[in-house]
Amino acid sequence: MSNQQQQTVAILGNGVVGVALARGFAGMGLRVVFGTRDAEGAKTREALAAVPGATAASFAEAARAASIAVVALPYAALQEGLQAAGAPNLAGKLVIDPSNPLDWSTGAPVMAVGFTDSAGEAVQRLLPEAKVVKAFNIITAAHMVNPKLPDGVPDMFIAGNDEAAKRDVGRVLEGFGWRKPIDMGDITASRLIEPLAMLWITYGVRTGHWVHGFSLLGQKK
Ligand SMILES: NC(=O)c1ccc[n+]([C@@H]2O[C@H](COP(=O)([O-])OP(=O)(O)OC[C@H]3O[C@@H](n4cnc5c(N)ncnc54)[C@H](OP(=O)(O)O)[C@@H]3O)[C@@H](O)[C@H]2O)c1
């Protein structure tokens, strides 16, 4: 990203993913503003304490102030959260989408959509003029920044319609300690990337082991 020192990132959501990515961006020298339903609440205060220099505002104020946004919201909250942020406030901006379309209604997560739709596409529909890039959804929040697993650095798959926005996300990922990401194509490739998160979760549930990630061997040089 050019001029990244002057850039502001709106982290829409103050949960575990929001805080993890906010810490990464703050560590790269970017200004961080959390967009939240309750800028004065205890959860927001906790998020601010975890991210030195960060501030908090409404979803709309954060989106307006930023040149980059992160959708750190549950799938079920995408519509409400992004409508609160306001599509015009994010028009033309890079929007990084780590969300997974998980349905928790039975207690154990299952994919809420797949094959013909994805959370990435839902975010792009809600923010038609934003440059949405799917990224970070296939790793636990604890490893989104400095993803050093005992046997190496995993790969990150990304997807999005805007080539320059994907290059920007590549620079973010490399700044966070990832290798160059694997670009799977336009935002519809989220249909392939999001089920990998379900594979990640299923492996964790079956083994009780939560420190893992994906790697694509034999990549084209
Ligand atoms: N956790 C992980 O390791 C992980 C890894 C990869 C991808 N993901 C994906 O990343 C996304 C965020 O996950 P998370 O673990 O950070 O979730 P989380 O800790 O539950 O945080 C969710 C955030 O969304 C906000 N929110 C919930 N419902 C809302 C609504 N109706 N309107 C506006 N805001 C709402 C919450 O705000 P309030 O405090 O106001 O409720 C909170 O800030 C999810 O899509 C998840 O599938 C998670």
Side-chain angles (χ1 to χ4, degrees), residues 2 10 24 40 47 90 100-101 105 107-108 125 129 160 179 210:
S2 52
E40 310 291 329
L90 292 168
N100 279 312
S105 58
R125 283 194 295 273
E129 292 176 68
R179 287 197 291 267
W210 298 97

Side-chain angles (χ1 to χ4, degrees), residues 47-59:
L48 292 177
V51 187
T55 56
S58 69
F59 282 111

Side-chain angles (χ1 to χ4, degrees), residues 11 13 27 39 101 122 169 174 180 192 207 220:
I11 305 286
V169 171
E174 290 180 59
K180 190 171 187 274
L192 304 174
T207 61
K220 189 170 182 216

Side-chain angles (χ1 to χ4, degrees), residues 13-17 37 43 73-74 77 80 98-100 139-141 144:
N14 58 8
V16 291
V17 168
R37 295 194 276 198
K43 196 166 163 193
L73 298 169
E80 189 179 338
S99 72
N100 279 312
I139 194 78
T140 183
M144 287 182 177

Side-chain angles (χ1 to χ4, degrees), residues 10 36 42 51 79 126 133 154 160 179-180:
T36 157
V51 187
Q79 184 161 350
L126 288 161
V133 178
R179 287 197 291 267
K180 190 171 187 274

Side-chain angles (χ1 to χ4, degrees), residues 58-89:
S58 69
F59 282 111
E61 285 165 338
R64 244 192 317 273
S67 54
I68 301 172
V70 174
V71 184
L73 298 169
Y75 177 67
L78 288 181
Q79 184 161 350
E80 189 179 338
L82 294 179
Q83 276 175 356
N89 292 329

